Amino acid sequence: MKRKFIYIFSLILMVNVSYAQFQKKLLSGSNADIKDIPWQVGIFLDGSHRCGGSIISPIHILTAAHCLKDRKTGAKIDKSRLTVYAGITKKSKKSSGQKRNVCNYTIHSSYNPQTTLLATMGTFADCKLSG
């Protein structure tokens, strides 16, 4: 009886956790305006929002390494498919921000999605500014 209870409880817990993950990506988050966090950028893959990042210099953006990997194959995403937008609060208002093409990026050599809970960072540089 005890074993059956543990099995059913575990099953219910797994279903609830899975459902919660699909309901919200952020827990206890709140809306913010870009004026309050001007160092934040949106990284877009083929025109769709992929990840966020932080401006760390005039030509570099810091983001999670998994953002630069194909979700199915794990291969590096071609830089020509990536675009960085700064100065926008809503993904749908890209035209109101600054657009930068990705010249190159680097994924930290120690990044391993199997053993790393928090991804290490990639670096972006804008072709127009860096040559």
Side-chain angles (χ1 to χ4, degrees):
M1 180 71 172
K2 185 177 181 181
R3 182 179 245 180
K4 189 175 183 180
F5 173 77
I6 292 172
Y7 174 76
I8 292 172
F9 180 76
S10 298
L11 187 60
I12 291 169
L13 183 62
M14 285 189 312
V15 169
N16 284 335
V17 168
S18 296
Y19 181 72
Q21 288 175 347
F22 287 108
Q23 290 298 309
K24 289 185 175 183
K25 291 188 179 187
L26 290 177
L27 298 176
S28 302
S30 61
N31 290 333
D33 190 284
I34 196 63
K35 294 174 197 154
D36 300 324
I37 49 169
W39 56 87
Q40 290 299 129
V41 298
I43 299 167
F44 288 72
L45 172 63
D46 298 329
S48 295
H49 187 264
R50 173 71 172 206
C51 280
S54 296
I55 299 169
I56 59 171
S57 84
I59 61 169
H60 295 99
I61 304 298
L62 204 57
T63 190
H66 72 269
C67 297
L68 307 173
K69 296 276 195 163
D70 185 281
R71 290 181 178 148
K72 292 179 183 173
T73 66
K76 284 179 71 171
I77 294 171
D78 187 279
K79 63 187 176 194
S80 65
R81 298 176 60 199
L82 298 166
T83 309
V84 177
Y85 285 89
I88 60 172
T89 299
K90 296 186 181 211
K91 295 181 278 188
S92 60
K93 304 283 184 182
K94 291 187 289 190
S95 61
S96 66
Q98 295 182 29
K99 174 185 173 184
R100 295 289 185 261
N101 296 316
V102 176
C103 182
N104 62 44
Y105 68 83
T106 304
I107 294 176
H108 194 281
S109 60
S110 297
Y111 172 67
N112 180 341
Q114 270 67 42
T115 60
T116 310
L117 289 176
L118 296 174
T120 52
M121 301 295 143
T123 304
F124 286 82
D126 181 29
C127 298
K128 295 176 187 174
L129 296 176
S130 63

